[in-house]
Amino acid sequence: VQFFKEVRLEARKVTWPTWKETWISTVMVFVMGLLAALFFFLVDQGLSIGIRLILGLGK
């Protein structure tokens, strides 16, 4: 019983983000995900082109 009382007291201390903060955080996660995907795509393409040039596979 004491445990559940303490859990309840701790749960009351939780501060939830506002709708605006949640929205901004969500948008930032998507933007960073897209930037990371673009970065890794470009690195992958660059390495692929470089390896093809070195090994002469692009002819």
Side-chain angles (χ1 to χ4, degrees):
V1 173
Q2 181 65 29
F3 172 75
F4 290 112
K5 286 181 181 178
E6 291 176 7
V7 168
R8 211 168 145 203
L9 285 173
E10 288 298 319
R12 287 183 182 160
K13 294 178 185 178
V14 174
T15 57
W16 293 96
T18 64
W19 175 250
K20 185 178 179 181
E21 291 170 334
T22 304
W23 179 249
I24 290 172
S25 297
T26 302
V27 170
M28 290 302 293
V29 166
F30 279 107
V31 168
M32 292 300 171
L34 287 172
L35 287 175
L38 179 63
F39 170 76
F40 286 115
F41 174 76
L42 292 174
V43 169
D44 182 55
Q45 291 300 311
L47 290 173
S48 177
I49 291 169
I51 289 172
R52 273 191 247 133
L53 287 173
I54 290 171
L55 297 178
L57 299 175
K59 294 180 182 178

